[in-house]
Amino acid sequence: MMTLAIHDQRLSRPGLESAALRDYDSVRRAIAFISERWRAQPTIEAVADAAGVTPDELHHLFRRWACLTPKAFMQALTLDHAKNLLRDSASVLDAALDSGLSGPGRLHDLFVTHEAMSPGEWKIGGAGMTLNYGFHPSPFGTAIVIATSRGLAGLAFADPGDEATAFADLRRRWPNATYVEDAEGTAPIVQRVFDTKLWRPDQPLRVVLIGTDFEVRVWETLLRIPMGRAVSYSDIACKINSPKASRAVGAAVGRNPVSFVVPCHRALGKSGALTGYHWGITRKQAMLGWEAGQLGLN
């Protein structure tokens, strides 16, 4: 299987972090180009030109980044692929996932344990809490991490120049908390999130969720979706016993403060349409394509 970008020396060596982020920027531009033109099956030369790299560089970039060729990645962005992700989606949520290894889609999934902050903590907006934060390179652009002593509380992504805006968006979840920049302290969390060798059931990643009861129930449901599968908003609504609340579910998915770990990118429209994503449709496509590579899409 592939080695995640976090293993790339450009991510593990601080002086080369900008090179890793440039890689994602090239991937982002390639995805945007493919997304607009996949029906015409654009040539690799055309995609490479849009991404600002040579065809050979594009091939190696995608193989390193997602363990996929550009052509296979193009397949992963089609509506047919999205519909396949949704197959039997309702039953996915009913499956017993005991140890998290009940099917091939779970073999490379995050092992997460979570808790919800109390209604009182949510109501006071984090007053009295100290939250540490840091900015780190990741396979999906700059990752903004917020953590408490109890675990990961926020994960967002930003393109170059948008870091402050993304951080401000996360801070709105806990407007009354005290924030301390501590990239050294949050670095191990990033390592846990993006290094598949550290996805271990005996050492789960602890996540703290803060939101309304309805939002937390939606986010807990998202945590049950295996990698390589997806569910519709209506399936989630049914699972939490609110079958007419698809729109409210969509809104709660959009307010998920722990992107990627709580896999809101695996929630799709009933037709397979990707619909909205708080951190950008292109990034949602990147995550789904990357996961296809993890599971060996040919």
Side-chain angles (χ1 to χ4, degrees):
M1 295 305 296
M2 75 169 286
T3 299
L4 261 178
I6 199 73
H7 286 310
D8 192 314
Q9 299 244 337
R10 289 165 303 176
L11 283 184
S12 58
R13 291 173 56 189
L16 297 175
E17 288 182 356
S18 59
L21 295 178
R22 283 198 301 272
D23 268 5
Y24 175 70
D25 188 57
S26 295
V27 169
R28 179 180 60 80
R29 283 181 279 142
I31 292 170
F33 183 83
I34 293 170
S35 299
E36 294 172 0
R37 298 168 175 82
W38 63 267
R39 288 181 180 81
Q41 294 293 291
T43 65
I44 297 304
E45 288 75 15
V47 177
D49 185 61
V53 297
T54 68
D56 192 51
E57 288 171 334
L58 182 72
H59 180 84
H60 290 295
L61 174 63
F62 271 85
R63 292 292 297 180
R64 180 177 67 245
W65 181 76
C67 202
L68 287 175
T69 65
K71 182 177 180 180
F73 192 84
M74 203 181 304
Q75 285 182 304
L77 296 186
T78 67
L79 183 61
D80 285 342
H81 177 69
K83 288 180 178 178
N84 286 335
L85 294 180
L86 282 171
R87 67 188 184 280
D88 304 321
S89 60
S91 63
V92 167
L93 294 179
D94 293 326
L97 298 177
D98 49 72
S99 66
L101 296 174
S102 61
R106 299 298 291 190
L107 292 175
H108 300 278
D109 217 340
L110 285 168
F111 292 97
V112 176
T113 182
H114 68 280
E115 65 172 299
M117 290 187 177
S118 70
E121 290 174 308
W122 175 79
K123 186 175 182 180
I124 61 176
M129 293 173 56
T130 296
L131 300 179
N132 297 327
Y133 70 93
F135 298 84
H136 304 273
S138 85
F140 307 109
T142 298
I144 300 99
V145 174
I146 291 180
T148 75
S149 58
R150 290 151 62 179
L152 175 65
L155 176 59
F157 297 96
D159 295 324
D162 293 334
E163 294 87 353
T165 300
F167 180 53
D169 182 85
L170 271 185
R171 286 189 63 159
R172 281 197 289 271
R173 271 77 168 180
W174 312 274
N176 300 320
T178 298
Y179 289 83
V180 177
E181 185 167 9
D182 180 17
E184 184 176 351
T186 54
I189 296 175
V190 173
Q191 190 81 13
R192 289 290 307 278
V193 170
F194 297 113
D195 184 347
T196 54
K197 292 181 179 179
L198 300 178
W199 293 1
R200 298 174 51 182
D202 59 328
Q203 295 180 6
L205 176 69
R206 180 169 292 279
V207 174
V208 180
L209 302 175
I210 182 168
T212 65
D213 176 66
F214 181 85
E215 289 170 342
V216 170
R217 284 190 291 140
V218 169
W219 301 337
E220 288 175 335
T221 304
L222 292 174
L223 282 168
R224 298 186 61 188
I225 307 172
M227 180 185 289
R229 302 299 290 272
V231 300
S232 68
Y233 299 108
S234 57
D235 286 330
I236 296 173
C238 289
K239 188 61 184 176
I240 62 173
N241 298 315
S242 301
K244 297 182 179 180
S246 293
R247 287 183 180 274
V249 164
V253 169
R255 287 194 290 270
N256 168 30
V258 191
S259 182
F260 186 70
V261 174
V262 178
C264 47
H265 58 284
R266 298 179 196 157
L268 306 179
K270 207 164 190 176
S271 67
L274 266 64
T275 64
Y277 185 62
H278 192 74
W279 307 111
I281 286 290
T282 299
R283 187 165 278 109
K284 183 172 186 174
Q285 291 171 313
M287 291 177 178
L288 292 174
W290 178 88
E291 290 184 346
Q294 287 284 290
L295 297 174
L297 175 73
N298 294 315

